[in-house]
Amino acid sequence: MNVPILDRSTLLKHIRAVEQDHPLKIVALLPRGAAPHVEGDDAVDFLAEKREGLSLLGLTSAELDLAARLGRPVGIVLASELSGTEKARVERSARPL
């Protein structure tokens, strides 16, 4: 399958729009598979910081909103939910936006 490359400026525009609508800050791009709850070879995974007022429903809504904007599945991993070796592994693999 040929997965289209995401244009960085378009990606950032969509990320900023989602951040305005949802209480989170997307800080990095993660390797595929970092958000195991999202299926699809063309999925994109992000690391985010939770802001006050973010619920599980709000996080899911942010994933769906960004997925609709990008035209592919999106997974968001919250930095606050990581710990130990998993946190170190994810942070090493993160690529800042």
Side-chain angles (χ1 to χ4, degrees):
M1 172 191 318
N2 292 331
V3 178
I5 302 299
L6 295 172
D7 174 62
R8 188 177 194 288
S9 63
T10 303
L11 175 64
L12 291 175
K13 179 181 77 170
H14 292 314
I15 286 172
R16 299 307 168 232
V18 169
E19 289 175 340
Q20 287 181 352
D21 294 340
H22 305 280
L24 55 78
K25 170 83 175 144
I26 297 174
V27 296
L29 184 64
L30 296 173
R32 180 63 209 116
H37 64 282
V38 178
E39 295 182 10
D41 293 336
D42 61 339
V44 183
D45 298 338
F46 295 98
L47 181 64
E49 296 172 352
K50 179 180 179 179
R51 292 192 173 152
E52 188 174 332
L54 184 68
S55 65
L56 181 56
L57 184 59
L59 177 62
T60 302
S61 179
E63 287 180 332
L64 294 172
D65 187 4
L66 191 52
R69 291 172 181 273
L70 299 178
R72 59 176 72 192
V74 167
I76 298 176
V77 175
L78 295 176
S80 61
E81 299 300 314
L82 299 172
S83 63
T85 58
E86 180 184 33
K87 180 177 181 170
R89 179 183 55 79
V90 168
E91 288 176 347
R92 275 194 313 272
S93 65
R95 294 189 328 212
L97 298 170

